[in-house]
Amino acid sequence: MSETAAATTLTHPNSGPNSSRGLAEVDPRVWEAIEGEERRLRETIQLIPSENYPSQAVLEAAGSVLTTKYAEGYPRRRFYQGTQWVDVVEGLARARAGKLFGADHANVQPHSGSSANMGVYFSVLQLGDTVMGMDLNAGGHLTHGSPANFSSKLYKFVSYGVDPSTERIDFNHVEQLAKQHRPRMIVIGATAYPRIFDWQRFREIADSVGAMLLADMAHVAGLVAGGVHPSPVPIAEFCSSSTHKTLRGPRGGMVLCKEEYAEALDRAIFPGIQGGPLEHIIAAKAVMLREAAQSEFRDYCQAVVDNAQVLAETLLAEGLNLVSGGTDNHLILVRLQSDKPAGREAAQALESAGLVVNKNTVPGETGTAVNPSGIRLGTPAATTFGFGPEEFRQVGRLVARIVKDVANEDLQRRTADEVRELCAAVEARRQTAETAETADSHPPRVPVMA
Ligand SMILES: Cc1ncc(COP(=O)(O)O)c(C=O)c1O
């Protein structure tokens, strides 16, 4: 940590057990695990599209003394005393979320993207209502009606998918299902859909049957804020999101909505589904929202999308099969060519080679979620780390050579060495650039890690 950072680091008042002793001394095993994770994040390439490196400022807020405070309720309407400072941070987070996305109202208390969705359902739906959501195999999220999830146990979910030939959302099918089932709500958004969401087309379908729209922008919220993906905020009654993916914040969730639903939403989140809000995480969300409003964040989002294009082109040139033939956003879904589901083995082999992806179901899946036929890759985290188009070309070639020869452990070991060298070179380049910027007396660009 730099001297300036150390001087401004916020610490807990010196009270309570072990208060003057640091983590390394109090709990060496946890400290060691955190050190190990920092090393893993430095020496391997993070290609899971739902992950990112939050800034030092976000981490500092998330690790702050605000974790101490109980603050059930909302700013200036709390069930506890002593909330003047948490009111400041929650007020900032709400105002910044509203401004950044142009929303009437923001609730920043959901503990995760899943609780954000639950909060929306609880605010306007009755148990047993019909809702339409994207099928898990087509790219939808668990909370969009997966049989394993609360959503399908509390509501009658009808799933839509993608056209098997284009692997893009099949709007004719969506329309036909909407007319047939007349849902109260249609959920749009996905966890593994590499194309732009046509929010307006969904609006038209929803209007034709009197349904409300929930745009779950968990994956693309950062791209929306950065101006490289159309915004659903003027179009949908509700927009939910997690805050730790392309938005590059702390692990958590939030919901934006039209003014007329603000009260119902707030009541559904607290006291409906949650108790005391995590004010340290809300502070980190406030910091993230400030960072996402800077022009550097727009540049970052453009780089995320540009890098995804380069990665997709390289994988295609290497002969890999991409769902829908490519990507418009930050993520890529690879359908592995094999006579049996090969996602699990490929993801494990890639991890041994220092390339961290996740196994994933693909449209028309013949395997299972545990052993699916695809892998999912994305560019947000490695772009934050400093990877540019040239490195992503190299990453594409490395990924291809591993998935084509998954049993070759020697190749995995050699690739892991190459990856470590590549990461070190990129990190050194980024640090030089950051030092030059600091010397220029500008505030440092979003730093990656301590
Ligand atoms: C589209 C979508 N919605 C909701 C979520 C849930 O977010 P969380 O994991 O924070 O509950 C995810 C997470 O992957 C997602 O991709």
Side-chain angles (χ1 to χ4, degrees):
M1 191 185 287
S2 75
E3 275 180 32
T4 345
T8 55
T9 295
L10 300 162
T11 52
H12 196 288
N14 194 11
S15 60
N18 293 324
S19 57
S20 59
R21 295 163 61 209
L23 178 60
E25 201 188 333
V26 173
D27 196 335
R29 292 186 66 191
V30 167
W31 184 81
E32 207 178 290
I34 294 173
E35 279 255 299
E37 176 64 358
E38 283 209 9
R39 211 167 34 251
R40 186 189 73 80
L41 290 170
R42 274 207 163 88
E43 296 180 353
T44 59
I45 305 176
Q46 311 315 309
L47 295 167
I48 293 175
S50 46
E51 294 180 359
N52 216 326
Y53 296 93
S55 70
Q56 187 59 34
V58 165
L59 291 180
E60 201 176 318
S64 74
V65 67
L66 296 174
T67 194
T68 312
K69 192 69 197 105
Y70 241 114
E72 283 178 356
Y74 291 97
R76 294 178 304 285
R77 291 182 287 136
R78 304 286 191 186
F79 287 80
Y80 287 78
Q81 300 311 120
T83 55
Q84 64 268 43
W85 294 111
V86 296
D87 277 5
V88 170
V89 296
E90 191 167 343
L92 283 170
R94 283 172 16 147
R96 287 175 184 172
K99 184 153 184 241
L100 181 67
F101 290 100
D104 293 350
H105 178 73
N107 187 311
V108 294
Q109 292 195 359
H111 299 333
S112 69
S114 297
S115 20
N117 286 345
M118 188 185 233
V120 173
Y121 299 153
F122 274 37
S123 65
V124 285
L125 299 179
Q126 300 299 317
L127 295 183
D129 273 353
T130 300
V131 185
M132 275 175 59
M134 197 164 181
D135 183 46
L136 195 66
N137 285 347
H141 185 251
L142 289 165
T143 53
H144 301 176
S146 153
N149 185 259
F150 82 88
S151 48
S152 71
K153 300 187 197 311
L154 301 186
Y155 307 101
K156 182 172 168 284
F157 263 86
V158 175
S159 296
Y160 59 86
V162 292
D163 180 319
S165 57
T166 61
E167 298 183 313
R168 293 172 188 237
I169 292 171
D170 182 348
F171 285 103
N172 290 334
H173 191 223
V174 176
E175 192 165 13
Q176 182 202 322
L177 287 175
K179 296 230 149 76
Q180 185 184 343
H181 296 280
R182 306 200 74 79
R184 285 260 298 143
M185 177 176 275
I186 300 180
V187 186
I188 335 153
T191 196
Y193 186 66
R195 297 297 175 180
I196 298 280
F197 289 106
D198 186 346
W199 314 114
Q200 188 53 40
R201 187 81 174 85
F202 273 96
R203 174 80 271 165
E204 287 156 18
I205 295 173
D207 285 348
S208 73
V209 295
M212 286 176 281
L213 276 189
L214 162 59
D216 179 347
M217 55 175 189
H219 260 269
V220 295
L223 305 185
V224 169
V228 298
H229 188 293
S231 173
V233 177
I235 295 170
E237 281 84 357
F238 296 93
C239 297
S240 62
S241 185
S242 50
T243 50
H244 44 270
K245 299 187 173 87
T246 46
L247 268 177
R248 211 158 58 177
R251 202 150 280 283
M254 66 176 185
V255 182
L256 310 171
C257 72
K258 303 281 184 211
E259 188 55 45
E260 64 195 286
Y261 302 105
E263 213 182 307
L265 174 70
D266 284 356
R267 257 202 322 272
I269 304 286
F270 171 83
I273 63 167
Q274 291 186 176
L278 310 178
E279 292 294 348
H280 54 307
I281 298 300
I282 290 173
K285 290 175 192 173
V287 176
M288 160 205 87
L289 291 159
R290 186 174 199 271
E291 291 173 348
Q294 317 288 319
S295 63
E296 286 88 348
F297 190 75
R298 297 180 85 82
D299 299 343
Y300 161 71
C301 289
Q302 189 61 57
V304 165
V305 171
D306 292 347
N307 288 337
Q309 289 294 324
V310 169
L311 183 57
E313 280 159 19
T314 312
L315 295 172
L316 285 169
E318 292 286 336
L320 268 59
N321 182 348
L322 306 191
V323 169
S324 83
T327 180
D328 298 326
N329 56 23
H330 63 297
L331 73 84
I332 292 161
L333 198 52
V334 181
R335 181 192 295 277
L336 296 161
Q337 278 141 328
S338 164
D339 44 9
K340 58 179 176 38
R344 183 167 53 190
E345 286 74 16
Q348 283 166 353
L350 286 164
E351 184 179 7
S352 303
L355 298 154
V356 186
V357 307
N358 67 279
K359 61 188 176 191
N360 216 97
T361 52
V362 294
E365 179 63 58
T366 53
T368 61
V370 177
N371 189 17
S373 304
I375 51 171
R376 193 180 63 148
L377 293 81
T379 52
T383 301
T384 300
F385 193 84
F387 281 64
E390 202 39 59
E391 288 86 26
F392 271 105
R393 216 161 276 128
Q394 200 174 337
V395 168
R397 289 195 286 264
L398 296 177
V399 167
R401 84 182 187 196
I402 296 295
V403 301
K404 286 178 191 170
D405 196 5
V406 284
N408 189 338
E409 292 180 7
D410 182 49
L411 180 66
Q412 289 159 24
R413 267 190 296 277
R414 280 188 284 119
T415 306
D417 290 340
E418 264 182 66
V419 163
R420 213 171 294 116
E421 279 171 30
L422 181 60
C423 289
V426 171
E427 186 171 10
R429 184 180 67 198
R430 192 192 71 239
Q431 281 172 346
T432 308
E434 279 168 11
T435 310
E437 270 185 59
T438 314
D440 243 4
S441 81
H442 289 299
R445 281 169 70 88
V446 178
V448 173
M449 286 180 288

